[in-house]
Structures are given as C-alpha cells and as structure tokens.
Amino acid sequence: MDSRELSNSEITGVRVGIAGTGLLALVVGILILAWPNTTVSILGVLFGLYFLISGIVHVARGLFTKGASGGSRVLNILLGVLLIVGGIVAIRNPLDSLAILGMLIGISWIVEGVAGLVEAAPDSSRWFGMVFGAIAIVAGVVVLLSPVESVTVLVVIGGVFLVLSGIFQLVQAFTFGRGRRATSDTV
C-alpha cells in the first residue's frame, strides 16, 4: 500500500489495523511459547471439533440432499458417522489425535521426499531436488518416531513466528506513512 496516496486519517486507520494484528500475533505467540503443551492439547480438541462438525454436515447431506444417488447418500452418511466417532475420540483424547496428525505429517513428508528424489530434473537443479528429497525423508522419519513431540516443536516454531511477526507489524505500524511528502489533502 502506498502511503503517499492516503490522507492522515486513512494512515491512522492503517496504523491501528497493523498494530492490532501485530499485538494479537505477539500475544498469541507469547501464550503458545509459555504453554506449548496446553496449546497442543487445545489443538487436539479443535481437531476433534472439526471432525465432529464435519461429520454432522456429511450425515445431514446424506439424509437431506435431494436428487443425490443412493450410493452418494450412503457414502456421505458413513463418512459422517466415521468423522463423528473420530471427533469424539479426538476430543476425549487430544494427544492421541495429535499423534495421528503427526504421523500423517511424517508420512506425507516421506512421500514428498521420495517424489522429490524420483522426479529430480535431469539438469543442474537435480541436486537441489535430491537434497530436498533426502531432507524431507529424514524429517518424515523423525516425525514418525515421535509424532506428538514433533507437533509440539511445530507449535513452538509457530509461536516464535507469531512473536516475530507481531514485533515486525508493531514496528511497521509506528513507521507507516512517515517520511511522505505533504499533499493538498493531507495538510
């Protein structure tokens, strides 16, 4: 956004918006870093709530969608029931659901790494593809060996990112619009 085209009140509004999101990112990041295990448990519960709500929607689609084939309706209902059961299990055992999430992340990284190795281009970028593939496979194996701890590490990295993002946004809020030339509508 070019601050030279904004009035003083518009610049103030942009500053408040940037400062608000920066402050929110900073607070959430600090909370995540202060209580990483609690954050991970909350993520497990949210994961379960998503499954529960998604399951209810699928069952409703299976029961109430007009014009859908019988097979489609049955599949929606079955998927919905499975998601509801998975959601209840995840809410009751959030760390178990995060272990599954961690394992899915590990498996996807391994598959992505193998694909990176297999699909490496035959030109000078081949080494980058091979290095990426090897790193992805190693990271995937590490995550598979300790999925909950890996998710916790990812949450902490996310918290660090939020703290840094919040700091940068607060600095941007205080510096946005400074050093611009006065125009007839801003004087």
Side-chain angles (χ1 to χ4, degrees):
M1 182 177 305
D2 190 1
S3 65
R4 292 174 292 194
E5 299 173 7
L6 300 175
S7 69
N8 285 336
S9 63
E10 290 170 324
I11 288 176
T12 301
V14 170
R15 283 182 177 167
V16 168
I18 294 171
T21 57
L23 189 59
L24 179 63
L26 187 61
V27 168
V28 170
I30 289 170
L31 290 174
I32 287 171
L33 294 175
W35 297 295
N37 292 332
T38 303
T39 303
V40 169
S41 293
I42 291 170
L43 284 176
V45 171
L46 292 175
F47 192 52
L49 285 174
Y50 167 75
F51 275 177
L52 186 63
I53 293 168
S54 180
I56 292 168
V57 169
H58 277 282
V59 168
R61 282 178 49 193
L63 292 174
F64 303 115
T65 300
K66 302 209 184 288
S69 69
S72 173
R73 295 174 78 154
V74 168
L75 284 175
N76 266 315
I77 292 170
L78 288 175
L79 177 60
V81 169
L82 286 174
L83 286 169
I84 289 169
V85 170
I88 291 169
V89 169
I91 290 169
R92 292 192 57 159
N93 305 306
L95 292 180
D96 290 341
S97 67
L98 286 175
I100 293 168
L101 177 62
M103 289 188 300
L104 290 174
I105 290 170
I107 290 168
S108 68
W109 284 356
I110 291 170
V111 169
E112 191 173 16
V114 169
L117 290 175
V118 171
E119 297 173 351
D123 58 13
S124 62
S125 69
R126 177 179 179 84
W127 289 106
F128 294 109
M130 292 177 71
V131 168
F132 166 77
I135 290 171
I137 291 170
V138 169
V141 169
V142 168
V143 171
L144 280 178
L145 293 175
S146 56
V148 174
E149 293 80 6
S150 298
V151 170
T152 303
V153 168
L154 292 173
V155 165
V156 169
I157 290 170
V160 169
F161 171 77
L162 284 171
V163 167
L164 293 174
S165 174
I167 291 169
F168 285 118
Q169 287 180 67
L170 288 171
V171 169
Q172 183 184 16
F174 286 109
T175 60
F176 184 81
R178 298 200 188 263
R180 65 189 180 98
R181 283 185 252 135
T183 59
S184 61
D185 66 335
T186 61
V187 176

